[in-house]
Amino acid sequence: MNGHGTTRSPRRIRGAGWLAGLVGGWGLLLAGCAAPLPEADTSPAAEAAFEERTEQLAALDSWRLVARLGLASGEEYWSAQLNWRVQEGQHVLDLSGPMGRGGGRLTLSDNGRALLVTRSGERFQAQDPDTLVARVLGESIPVSGMIYWVRGLLHPEASYQLDIDADGRPLEILQSGWAIEYTEFEEINGVPMPVAMVLERDEVELRARIGRWQLGPDETW
């Protein structure tokens, strides 16, 4: 993306063979990723639209989403439901399904410290969410990056490469060793928000299908 000292790289076509074993609602996620992606745009107008969208979302300290996740690593995969809510900067992520324990609640404090309480009552703590999730799941999931990427934003403390479309929507972000590809958006309060995305690094692939967004205070959820 011009104006940010980055270079664009061709978007990769990712295999989905590992999804063949998933059933039920997870098939909807794959279907949502089938539409062709728009072309990348490097014009000043596209860049200005991306910056305007970034400023709109950065100004919100409250938001919420409900999503379905699928993680593939080598020959293994799991799926989970995610309810992620943010109120005045504090993040609470409720997961059902993963960790071999029926899920749990991950809370991120303002100073970045992470606490996970499983549904069976076990408690795990760490100085950052990525360390905690890797320790519990045994897989590297970039929670600290997803705080930004799930909204189609750049992590402010990491270098990046970025493709955007003519409307300033992100098509692909390369950051912190991860490739994040956005395949579908929905207008929420006039802001285009991702509803289908794929995160990939090495042999790990994480797919997210967001079924519902709330921007601003949680008043009508």
Side-chain angles (χ1 to χ4, degrees), residues 1 8 11 36-50 53 162-172 182-185 187 192:
M1 178 176 175
R8 297 193 299 111
R11 291 190 295 279
L37 297 174
E39 293 295 324
D41 192 314
T42 60
S43 69
E47 294 185 22
F50 177 81
R53 179 183 178 278
L162 173 66
D163 283 350
I164 59 175
D165 67 9
D167 296 321
R169 301 179 303 181
L171 299 175
E172 185 178 59
Y182 301 88
T183 57
E184 189 176 343
F185 287 82
E187 290 283 330

Side-chain angles (χ1 to χ4, degrees), residues 22-72:
L22 295 176
V23 296
W26 185 238
L28 296 176
L29 190 154
L30 182 59
C33 298
L37 297 174
E39 293 295 324
D41 192 314
T42 60
S43 69
E47 294 185 22
F50 177 81
E51 295 296 342
E52 180 180 359
R53 179 183 178 278
T54 296
E55 291 174 3
Q56 285 179 288
L57 292 176
L60 297 175
D61 63 359
S62 299
W63 49 271
R64 187 173 180 178
L65 65 83
V66 173
R68 186 169 178 84
L69 306 178
L71 176 70

Side-chain angles (χ1 to χ4, degrees), residues 51-181:
E51 295 296 342
E52 180 180 359
R53 179 183 178 278
T54 296
E55 291 174 3
Q56 285 179 288
L57 292 176
L60 297 175
D61 63 359
S62 299
W63 49 271
R64 187 173 180 178
L65 65 83
V66 173
R68 186 169 178 84
L69 306 178
L71 176 70
S73 178
E75 299 299 319
E76 299 181 355
Y77 60 79
W78 55 253
S79 62
Q81 296 284 346
L82 170 66
N83 187 322
W84 187 339
R85 60 189 184 276
V86 183
Q87 191 70 34
E88 297 181 352
Q90 184 181 56
H91 295 250
V92 178
L93 294 80
D94 287 315
L95 281 165
S96 60
M99 296 175 282
R101 299 179 175 84
R105 171 170 291 182
L106 176 64
T107 303
L108 311 180
S109 62
D110 292 340
N111 62 9
R113 188 168 181 81
L115 169 66
L116 174 66
V117 180
T118 71
R119 294 190 184 276
S120 62
E122 296 177 274
R123 297 170 66 91
F124 303 88
Q125 298 187 60
Q127 290 296 328
D128 66 87
D130 295 355
T131 298
L132 177 60
V133 172
R135 188 169 72 201
V136 175
L137 287 184
E139 297 290 351
S140 176
I141 298 179
V143 178
S144 59
M146 285 182 66
I147 290 173
Y148 301 96
W149 300 334
V150 75
R151 293 175 287 162
L153 301 177
L154 297 167
H155 193 303
E157 298 178 0
S159 59
Y160 65 88
Q161 296 181 39
L162 173 66
D163 283 350
I164 59 175
D165 67 9
D167 296 321
R169 301 179 303 181
L171 299 175
E172 185 178 59
I173 295 172
L174 303 179
Q175 199 167 34
S176 303
W178 288 87
I180 307 98
E181 185 174 310

